[in-house]
Amino acid sequence: MVASNVIAEYLDLVRSLDNLNNHLGISHLTASETAILLAIAYNELSSGANTSLADLTLSKTDIRLIPRATLFRCLRTLTEKSLIKHVGNKRSGQYCLG
């Protein structure tokens, strides 16, 4: 019954993640928006620096597979929802957590 114990642990983890997503108000995000938000958060928490468009498009994550138009739409949506902030001037392309 090891498999059933592992599945039970997995379900507990999924429930915990769902609760965190609801608490943070990000349960409604698309997969692309979630990937971008997590990439910005990871970059900020690991390096302490803002995330540039180059950081996102050159990363070794699934974000580089997101079409450019979708990337910009997701950045705009995340900014409108105050989950991230655009930093610097209008053309800077720098983002941080909101």
Side-chain angles (χ1 to χ4, degrees):
M1 292 298 164
V2 174
S4 63
N5 289 340
V6 173
I7 291 172
E9 287 180 41
Y10 178 73
L11 289 174
D12 286 341
L13 179 62
V14 170
R15 280 189 204 112
S16 295
L17 289 174
D18 285 342
N19 288 337
L20 284 171
N21 285 339
N22 289 331
H23 180 69
L24 293 171
I26 60 172
S27 58
H28 59 282
L29 298 180
T30 66
S32 295
E33 291 166 348
T34 301
I36 292 166
L37 177 63
L38 291 176
I40 291 171
Y42 178 78
N43 183 65
E44 186 172 319
L45 295 173
S46 64
S47 70
N50 295 329
T51 303
S52 69
L53 287 174
D55 293 336
L56 291 173
T57 57
L58 297 176
S59 70
K60 295 179 181 171
T61 63
D62 292 338
I63 292 170
R64 62 188 170 94
L65 304 175
I66 296 173
R68 194 162 176 81
T70 303
L71 173 67
F72 283 108
R73 186 176 59 250
C74 291
L75 289 169
R76 184 179 61 244
T77 300
L78 291 169
T79 302
E80 289 169 355
K81 293 179 179 179
S82 298
L83 295 170
I84 64 172
K85 290 189 294 190
H86 184 258
V87 181
N89 65 32
K90 187 175 181 177
R91 300 181 58 101
S92 72
Q94 298 281 321
Y95 293 88
C96 68
L97 292 175

